[in-house]
Amino acid sequence: MLNLLFVVIGVLLLTSGGEALIRGSLAAANRLGISPLLSGLLIVGFGTSAPELVVSIEAALSERPDIAIGNVVGSNIGNILLILGLCALITPLAVKPLVLRRDGVTVVAASILFLILVGGDALVRSDAAIFLLALAAYLIWAYRTERSGEAPSAGLHIAEGEEVTSLPKTTLWIVMAVVLGLVLLIAGSQVLLKGAVGIAELFGVSEAVIGLTLVAVGTSLPELSISVIAAFRRHADVAIGNILGSNIFNLLGILGISALLQPLPVHERILQFDQWVMLGTSLILLLFLYTGSRLSRLEGGLLLLGYGVYVSLSFTVFGT
């Protein structure tokens, strides 16, 4: 019971910290005159991945690579199957073709890059450099295409920023929001890891399983809240764009930074099962979106069903 309480408290701290950091950063960007396009692309699109980033870094530095990698892979699987599945049930999610061709294809390419780099059973610093260079290339590509008008998704990233309201107004409140967000994220990551490791030991399951499911879902709550709000407001592009951007940053940014700080051996079950599920879900999402340029309620239901099957297999067939 105590371990479960740690997990709940950790998730609450991470969610609150991520929210405070996003609000403070957006307010600072407004004060500095940074364009709404860049604010939405960087701060909101990637800021919702702050809990995953802090937890994976903490796990890597604590020499718990199974949680560090499992958190990223599990988050990417959950983002597509759980969050987009839920959002599509709320409202069908349409997507602009050019957005899909850039961000959707990048998610698949990043997943394939992960498969290639973990071929040696570990992510080392040279792999981290490749991830981070790929992320930098994507960001430059995304900003240039949207600034030049080649991709009709500039409004998407502006709208992402608009999903976050009630920003702090004064410089003091902005600084306090950013500092508080960082403190809560760090504290939440430590508490969540303590509870997650305790649950793994109590039930005799591997840390990889806990990282892929419990930790991954807990750190994905900011993506869930942003996407669900966007779905209720009929901002379908925001819901899909938020998830695609988050999955790109999870693989290229979070694993890149984590492996740069500490080489990460990859658990055998991730090599045999989860990395293929991650690639498969990305391809299925791409297929669903390409066939009708939208994610229907039926397809959303299938995604949610798929997540239920994945979690069930994680704790039964692949529980060690």
Side-chain angles (χ1 to χ4, degrees):
M1 182 63 74
L2 184 59
N3 289 321
L4 181 59
L5 181 61
F6 281 144
V7 169
V8 172
I9 293 174
V11 168
L12 291 175
L13 290 174
L14 286 169
T15 304
S16 301
E19 185 78 7
L21 182 62
I22 290 173
R23 293 179 188 278
S25 299
L26 277 176
N30 292 342
R31 273 292 183 93
L32 296 173
I34 297 174
S35 71
L37 167 59
L38 191 59
S39 296
L41 177 64
L42 292 177
I43 297 173
V44 179
F46 293 154
T48 51
S49 291
E52 286 100 324
L53 174 62
V54 177
V55 168
S56 287
I57 289 177
E58 180 70 26
L61 294 177
S62 302
E63 297 186 352
R64 298 192 179 278
D66 293 345
I67 293 181
I69 298 177
N71 176 39
V72 169
V73 174
S75 290
N76 277 25
I77 293 171
N79 282 351
I80 292 175
L81 297 182
L82 176 62
I83 297 179
L84 283 185
L86 179 61
C87 290
L89 286 182
I90 296 172
T91 183
L93 303 176
V95 62
K96 294 181 176 66
L98 288 182
V99 179
L100 179 60
R101 284 202 293 270
R102 188 195 66 201
D103 296 347
V105 171
T106 301
V107 169
V108 173
S111 300
I112 293 173
L113 179 62
F114 175 83
L115 264 68
I116 294 171
L117 294 181
V118 300
D121 300 336
L123 292 173
V124 296
R125 289 188 171 91
S126 59
D127 299 325
I130 294 173
F131 277 137
L132 293 174
L133 286 173
L135 177 62
Y138 165 76
L139 290 175
I140 293 170
W141 179 29
Y143 187 70
R144 284 183 174 176
T145 55
E146 294 183 10
R147 190 179 182 186
S148 66
E150 294 176 22
S153 57
L156 157 66
H157 296 299
I158 294 172
E160 282 182 333
E162 293 173 350
E163 297 297 333
V164 182
T165 57
S166 303
L167 301 181
K169 303 299 183 183
T170 66
T171 301
L172 176 61
W173 281 109
I174 291 172
V175 172
M176 289 178 62
V178 172
V179 172
L180 177 63
L182 291 172
V183 170
L184 291 178
L185 283 169
I186 294 171
S189 68
Q190 295 175 342
V191 175
L192 177 61
L193 281 177
K194 181 178 179 63
V197 171
I199 289 175
E201 294 173 349
L202 180 64
F203 290 98
V205 297
S206 69
E207 291 185 3
V209 173
I210 296 299
L212 286 157
T213 54
L214 184 63
V215 175
V217 172
T219 56
S220 293
L221 288 181
E223 287 96 331
L224 177 62
S225 62
I226 290 287
S227 296
V228 167
I229 290 171
F232 275 116
R233 292 178 178 175
R234 301 296 189 267
H235 293 170
D237 273 358
V238 175
I240 293 179
N242 177 51
I243 293 304
L244 293 177
S246 175
N247 280 19
I248 292 168
F249 184 70
N250 285 349
L251 283 172
L252 302 181
I254 295 177
L255 282 185
I257 294 172
S258 300
L260 191 65
L261 295 173
Q262 178 72 37
L264 303 173
V266 184
H267 195 280
E268 187 66 24
R269 71 152 278 170
I270 295 177
L271 294 172
Q272 293 180 353
F273 178 58
D274 302 285
Q275 65 173 351
W276 301 107
V277 175
M278 180 178 68
L279 176 60
T281 55
S282 300
L283 289 171
I284 289 171
L285 176 64
L286 208 60
L287 175 64
F288 282 168
L289 293 176
Y290 262 121
T291 52
S293 294
R294 57 182 277 162
L295 196 63
S296 68
R297 286 192 171 92
L298 174 60
E299 291 165 340
L302 291 175
L303 292 179
L304 277 176
L305 178 62
Y307 191 69
V309 172
Y310 168 72
V311 171
S312 176
L313 290 175
S314 290
F315 283 95
T316 54
V317 179
F318 298 96
T320 59

